Amino acid sequence: MSSYDLIVIGAGPGGYVCAIRAAQLGLKTAVIEGRGTLGGTCLNVGCIPSKALLHASHMFHEAGHNFEKMGLMGEEPSVDWTIMQSYKAETVETNTKGIEFLFKKNKIDWIKGWAEITAPGKVKVGEDSYETKNIVIATGSEPSPLKGVEIDNAGGVIVDSTGALTLPKLPKTMIVIGAGVIGLELGSVYARLGAEVTVIEYLDAVTPGMDAEVQKQFQKILGKQGMKFVLGAAVQSATMTDGTAKVTYKLRKDDSEQTAEADVVLLATGRRPYIEGLGLDKAGVELTDRGQVKIDDHWATSVKGIYAIGDAVPGPMLAHKAEDEGMAVAEIIAGKAGHVNYDVIPSVIYTSPEVASVGLTEAAAKETGRKVKTGKFPFLGNARAKAMFQGDGFVKIVADAETDRILGCHIIGPNAGEMIHEICVAMEFGASAEDVALTCHAHPTTSEAVREAALALGDGPIHV
Ligand code: NAI
């Protein structure tokens, strides 16, 4: 029987990063992964393939809408869905192979199969048993089902986020259930590729939890791109007849029942921890009342020597949050101090324009009882953004009115997902808005809009 210092269950961003850090710190490490390739949901059926489709569809949209304005003439491009699918598959393959290379480089064993924890320190994969001093559960999440909606990813008509990446053909019409991150990212892919996309959302705004001004602007911009929204509507069911899907929903304002039809329905109403078959009950690992693995401040479960990270535990379901937890728990197991600052976890929606945020929204900052001030700067005042036809959107910084300390930042605009990190670093160092305002920013860059928003919290921005 092989024995290890650490067995990580799951090779997604949480698990593989944890394993690499553990190996770097001298622990004899193995990862158990049942999927045929490493990288988990993110690399195989999540972040990476969706980003390939977002990039390709963005290019197509640019070619159709902005090329002529820049004097780039020629026949309008058309979409070859088969080639776009192969480009997506190649992007996934180079990344998953990259993790295999890193495992070999760091002498991490990949045990292929599905793990079951039979007792603390004991894991079974098929007929084989392994002993280990520590276990990290990094099994991630799966799409949450919705009553009345039967997913058939292979059929390609009523699908979840996995099926939406491999539709057999481009739909002419699509209904997205849920205006969260997945619904809007994948919905905008198909809208840009020519589908008429309608998003049905239970709440009265898109992207729950985001800054209210960003939510409004985001919906407006997506609307201009052709996406339609039915807000305040609870989907009751989605059924298929003769290859067409029918969605029934109830409007919350008057309880009236409505129906809509489309070629494809994408269910994107959230994800839930994936812990099936792990044997957690037998091992005595406690769960929260929401079905997540219960952990303490150091990612330790209720059973000594068993830890859990990523989407399987409470907190935002984000690959980079899982990666940070993976590194931190590896350090703790190796006897060092591992730490994650949950106040500074950025989140990004990779639509065009991108939406990025970190820290508190204006509303959440006010709820803490402190005096709050906000500084805003529109991309219309940013030369670089305008040169790229991306003057829509703004940067908004939320700061403490008394100390000027930055509490959060919300960006909708070009490169938002990259620019947000300036504020993440500033927040890690406890910076004031003035610190950012006094920092020289290269011209012409979209990052100048971040500085201008910081200036707006002092004596005022220059370019509005
Ligand atoms: P979500 O929780 O972000 O959004 C789901 C939406 O569905 C909510 O707005 C909710 O009000 C709505 N909804 C729920 N039941 C409904 C019903 N019956 N009828 C109509 N609307 C209904 O979930 P989503 O988009 O599926 O994402 C799951 C997780 O994956 C999230 O935690 C997200 O952060 C993460 N993720 C992050 C990405 C990123 O960071 N770029 C990309 C993809 C996923």
Side-chain angles (χ1 to χ4, degrees):
M1 185 189 293
S2 316
S3 71
Y4 292 93
D5 293 320
L6 170 64
I7 285 185
V8 181
I9 307 175
Y16 83 71
V17 167
C18 175
I20 291 172
R21 175 56 96 232
Q24 286 169 339
L25 294 172
L27 301 181
K28 188 171 179 228
T29 305
V31 174
I32 303 176
E33 172 58 60
R35 201 189 283 268
T37 47
L38 299 174
T41 299
C42 173
L43 271 72
N44 289 283
V45 289
C47 326
I48 301 304
S50 66
K51 256 83 271 175
L53 292 183
L54 279 158
H55 178 65
S57 60
H58 174 60
M59 292 287 134
F60 178 64
H61 185 266
E62 285 295 288
H65 291 77
N66 289 328
F67 273 23
E68 280 191 9
K69 294 184 204 160
M70 296 183 281
L72 299 171
M73 316 310 280
E75 253 176 62
E76 258 193 41
S78 55
V79 179
D80 185 318
W81 186 231
T82 311
I83 297 178
M84 201 179 282
Q85 287 283 316
S86 329
Y87 148 69
K88 183 201 71 183
E90 279 162 28
T91 309
V92 168
E93 198 187 337
T94 48
N95 281 285
T96 56
K97 284 267 180 322
I99 310 297
E100 259 184 69
F101 163 78
L102 291 173
F103 274 19
K104 282 190 192 124
K105 185 181 156 200
N106 287 286
K107 304 194 171 39
I108 297 164
D109 290 343
W110 172 11
I111 301 167
K112 297 183 182 174
W114 301 101
E116 187 192 340
I117 303 172
T118 48
K122 291 199 178 6
V123 185
K124 222 174 117 184
V125 180
E127 295 304 307
D128 300 324
S129 297
Y130 300 88
E131 279 194 354
T132 176
K133 291 185 190 130
N134 300 282
I135 296 170
V136 170
I137 298 165
T139 46
S141 60
E142 61 180 351
S144 301
L146 183 67
K147 209 171 140 246
V149 180
E150 186 107 355
I151 298 297
D152 175 14
N153 284 332
V157 176
I158 302 179
V159 296
D160 60 21
S161 56
T162 303
L165 295 167
T166 50
L167 293 180
K169 59 179 194 302
L170 280 176
K172 289 202 172 66
T173 50
M174 182 180 219
I175 291 173
V176 175
I177 310 174
V181 185
I182 293 181
L184 297 187
E185 283 187 0
L186 288 174
S188 74
V189 163
Y190 290 102
R192 294 201 293 242
L193 295 178
E196 199 179 283
V197 176
T198 305
V199 183
I200 305 178
E201 163 60 43
Y202 179 80
L203 299 171
D204 295 320
V206 302
T207 55
M210 282 235 157
D211 183 88
E213 283 184 276
V214 171
Q215 288 179 325
K216 253 175 129 176
Q217 179 82 357
F218 192 27
Q219 191 189 332
K220 205 166 133 194
I221 293 174
L222 293 176
K224 270 207 271 178
Q225 292 175 9
M227 283 171 75
K228 295 196 174 72
F229 292 90
V230 181
L231 300 179
V235 168
Q236 312 291 305
S237 67
T239 49
M240 192 182 80
T241 351
D242 298 332
T244 301
K246 187 165 119 183
V247 173
T248 308
Y249 58 95
K250 258 191 184 165
L251 289 179
R252 279 167 52 223
K253 63 174 186 217
D254 56 11
D255 226 21
S256 63
E257 198 165 275
Q258 314 277 333
T259 55
E261 289 191 358
D263 298 340
V264 169
V265 170
L266 162 62
L267 178 68
T269 50
R271 298 179 64 85
R272 63 180 184 189
Y274 179 66
I275 46 172
E276 212 184 289
L278 265 182
L280 296 187
D281 45 349
K282 261 192 264 161
V285 174
E286 283 176 27
L287 302 183
T288 67
D289 49 14
R290 300 185 61 197
Q292 302 143 320
V293 182
K294 206 179 195 173
I295 47 164
D296 68 9
D297 289 345
H298 294 94
W299 303 280
T301 69
S302 52
V303 177
K304 199 169 180 318
I306 304 182
Y307 301 81
I309 58 168
D311 285 9
V313 304
M317 288 184 164
L318 298 170
H320 44 281
K321 174 251 188 193
E323 288 182 34
D324 280 22
E325 290 176 339
M327 271 197 277
V329 79
E331 278 157 20
I332 286 174
I333 292 169
K336 297 165 91 80
H339 176 71
V340 175
N341 180 2
Y342 287 102
D343 291 337
V344 186
I345 306 249
S347 86
V348 180
I349 308 178
Y350 298 88
T351 42
S352 180
E354 290 181 349
V355 179
S357 69
V358 65
L360 299 178
T361 60
E362 183 180 352
K366 283 180 178 157
E367 270 169 32
T368 64
R370 45 158 79 88
K371 280 198 185 132
V372 172
K373 59 178 180 174
T374 61
K376 223 173 128 184
F377 186 79
F379 281 102
L380 262 183
N382 179 273
R384 186 72 185 275
K386 277 190 291 189
M388 299 187 292
F389 307 108
Q390 295 202 44
D392 279 340
F394 56 83
V395 178
K396 175 174 173 180
I397 298 178
V398 181
D400 186 304
E402 272 154 15
T403 63
D404 196 36
R405 188 178 174 140
I406 298 174
L407 302 172
C409 179
H410 310 277
I411 309 177
I412 175 163
N415 306 328
E418 302 293 339
M419 285 188 284
I420 197 71
H421 298 108
E422 168 176 7
I423 297 296
C424 295
V425 174
M427 286 177 70
E428 283 289 355
F429 281 80
S432 63
E434 190 184 28
D435 290 323
V436 174
L438 289 175
T439 305
C440 183
H441 284 62
H443 176 76
T445 57
T446 48
S447 294
E448 287 175 287
V450 176
R451 183 196 198 178
E452 293 264 25
L455 281 165
L457 285 163
D459 293 331
I462 303 296
H463 293 92
V464 279

